[in-house]
Amino acid sequence: GSLWMQLLQCLVLPMVIISMIQSMVSLRQLPGSRTLAFALVGLYMATTVIALTEALIIGVPYIGNLVEALPASSIEASEDYTSTVEDMTFIDALLGVFEGMTPENVINDAAQSDLLPVIITAVVFGICIKDKQEDGSPTVTLQLLSQVNDVVTTALMAVMKL
């Protein structure tokens, strides 16, 4: 039971990363994909700003007064520490959302199963990767990703048969 779940969890991360990279490469080749990509990023940012605004409108007046600062002896004091919720501005909260999506160490995020920064990294890699050589054939990187995807899929099928 638990070994089977660990095997599945082990295969999920490589499958997600490879799928995201291959999807971004395929999406770049579609006509109108740039417009779609900008619309999706704009929509995501707009909904993030709206959700953050709602949280601040509801959270600060009602919950902010109930939150007390921790005593300095119970936390490691740092210069960039915000002591209360009320001290946080809208820009601080918005930047905090985007800082949470930006990986400092993608390997560490992957090891801790924090998939959002890993997915963001895979999307950026998929956007930046060269998809064709000068003769029109797929690049070595895409061929490698395809072969790794085949291996992960074969391993996943073997685990599913257990």
Side-chain angles (χ1 to χ4, degrees), residues 89-150:
T89 65
F90 178 77
I91 298 298
D92 292 335
L94 184 62
L95 289 175
V97 169
F98 290 106
E99 284 176 7
M101 293 188 316
T102 307
E104 290 181 24
N105 182 347
V106 73
I107 304 299
N108 187 36
D109 289 332
Q112 293 178 353
S113 297
D114 187 6
L115 289 182
L116 184 59
V118 175
I119 290 172
I120 297 293
T121 302
V123 167
V124 170
F125 187 79
I127 290 170
C128 296
I129 193 172
K130 187 176 176 183
D131 58 341
K132 292 184 180 169
Q133 296 180 9
E134 292 179 12
D135 64 356
S137 63
T139 61
V140 174
T141 309
L142 283 182
Q143 291 173 3
L144 176 67
L145 285 171
S146 179
Q147 290 174 357
V148 171
N149 189 36
D150 291 344

Side-chain angles (χ1 to χ4, degrees), residues 33-43:
S33 62
R34 174 170 275 171
T35 305
L36 177 64
F38 283 124
L40 287 174
V41 169
L43 181 64

